[in-house]
Amino acid sequence: MASSFSLVLSLCLLVLCHGTNAQFTTGGQSPWHTSRGFGDPRGCRFDHLEALNPAQRIQCEAGMTEYYEESSEMLRCAGVSVKRHIVEPRGLLLPAYHNAPSLVYITQGRGLIGMVFPGCPETYQWFQQQAETYTEGTMTESQQKLRDEHQKIRRFQKGDIIALPPGVTHWCYNDGDVAFVAVQVFDTSNSANQLEPARRDFYLAGRHQSVQRMYEMGPQPTSFTTRQQLSNNMFNGFDTLMLAEALGVNQELTRRLQSQNDPRGEIVFVKQGLRMLRPFRSQEMEQQQYEESMQSEEQYFGESMPGLRNATNGLDENFCTMKIRSNIDIPNRADYFNQRGSRVAILNSQKLPILNLVQMSAVRVVLQRNSMITPYWHMNCHSLMYVTSGQGRVQVVNHRGRTVFDGMLRQGQILLIPQNFAVLKRAELKMFKWVSFNTNHNAMISQMVGKNSVIRAMPLQVLMHSYRISLEQARRLKFSRQHEMTILSPIREIMRSRDDPMFEVGSSA
């Protein structure tokens, strides 16, 4: 009897400890866990940061691809790579896969994306639609013939974040009326990439003029060289006769696959439009609205029902059917919002489980004029900031208390903010919008100002002796932004809305 009681007690303690530990983990991993290595074998101190514009542009038949990382030591040290696709209407971004995981943000337009997950069934089958037009049992064998089948096709639109695991083939098509613009950030230092710490594009069709970064080892410190060169697709490297035998087709068709004389580039124009099996647009929109309402409901009840937010545990959502995208431009999905319309939306692996595989996350920020984001640092990742509109001033400070960046960021520019470096951002005369790509699936920040900050959490006596200030000054420092978190309104508006005597006009500068 005593032994049975001891066994039950042990099991209870085990469950209790496991439940307590779960509060500090995500998907079975610590939030400090990372699957990354160093971006560069050499030490990188990030003594000087700079805002980057696209460095190279490659024109294709139905669009262009722009590259940011041609000669950037900053991106190399962080182990990230960035490019931007601009795809015109009826443009097809040819099938390819990459050696590193990536996140894609759609800044403009809409389209379709197909992803080929190995081992997953082709769930879209053309003959099923034909069968509906015939009476059961009256179809001939020729009428039941399968015309096409393929894996699921997904629609994307402005504001979507799309997760692309490494080695997964994907293609995109623009079925809209305007060009779509897609910014793609690769985590080349992720452990999933076991090649050199640089992005490699593996094409399955076409012949491409691409930017190649060469990784060189030798007696001298590791170095990179970047150059443009023509890249053939993967089929081109095989012997034609041997490949024809493997495919079960003739050599003429095999040569067409090798695309040896194809000058169109990686984005080609489909004159008559792309025809394929997919739900009607109205059905797609209905499904999308349902998914958005479910996600909003999870976010709403997440605080009072913790189990709902973490309900996806990998058992009920398998690899073949998991969601690959989520829209972070929708205002009601904001995690932080104020009365002036500024907002912050966080997308991590708790909201989009596929990010556990990609090991990246994203944040969307919209700041009204003169508003600020509280000074903070990332505790467990690098963060790459891409400006989508407006302009703002950004300051970044390193471990020596030195300013490594202080300047204006404008639309289309990127800035890397290294792990643990403190950053302060303020919108200027216009609204300032950006999206940040983080190299951890559950990025964590520590704020320096506001309700949930290091200043707010420390005792007054510690602040007094740390900064050699009076008790009254310590109170002013600790409680001046006590009602704000993450988003800081212009100080003059706060003073106009409060009668608190500690807010003096003379001290607001």
Side-chain angles (χ1 to χ4, degrees), residues 7-52:
L7 177 61
V8 172
L9 180 60
S10 300
L11 290 174
C12 291
L13 290 174
L14 179 62
V15 172
L16 179 61
C17 292
H18 177 75
T20 304
N21 183 62
Q23 301 297 319
F24 299 95
T25 61
T26 303
Q29 296 177 343
S30 164
W32 280 274
H33 168 83
T34 179
S35 60
R36 306 180 82 247
F38 288 105
D40 193 315
R42 298 173 295 174
C44 294
R45 297 188 299 176
F46 298 106
D47 288 334
H48 176 70
L49 305 179
E50 59 180 338
L52 299 179

Side-chain angles (χ1 to χ4, degrees), residues 109-230:
R110 63 180 173 87
L112 302 168
I113 181 170
M115 296 175 62
V116 182
F117 291 99
C120 296
E122 292 78 20
T123 56
Y124 280 33
Q125 298 176 331
W126 192 283
F127 77 88
Q128 291 179 344
Q129 285 193 344
Q130 285 191 323
E132 294 173 359
T133 63
Y134 293 88
T135 303
E136 184 177 359
T138 64
M139 289 187 297
T140 66
E141 183 177 350
S142 61
Q143 289 171 337
Q144 295 180 4
K145 184 177 180 180
L146 188 68
R147 292 178 57 184
D148 190 18
E149 63 178 5
H150 51 76
Q151 289 192 14
K152 182 177 180 179
I153 297 172
R154 298 164 170 90
R155 179 168 293 282
F156 62 80
Q157 63 182 356
K158 181 180 181 295
D160 277 352
I161 288 283
I162 304 171
L164 295 177
V168 172
T169 300
H170 60 276
W171 53 266
C172 297
Y173 175 68
N174 186 344
D175 67 341
D177 300 324
V178 299
F180 76 70
V181 181
V183 180
Q184 189 169 12
V185 177
F186 299 84
D187 183 5
T188 57
S189 288
N190 193 289
S191 63
N193 172 29
Q194 298 187 26
L195 299 175
E196 74 273 22
R199 187 197 74 250
R200 282 194 177 185
D201 304 319
F202 296 82
Y203 299 104
L204 292 178
R207 192 166 184 256
H208 313 272
Q209 183 182 6
S210 61
V211 174
Q212 295 289 330
R213 177 187 289 170
M214 307 303 294
Y215 177 71
E216 300 173 353
M217 296 288 291
Q220 300 298 322
T222 305
S223 62
F224 290 82
T225 59
T226 305
R227 67 186 181 189
Q228 284 193 21
Q229 67 175 31
L230 286 174

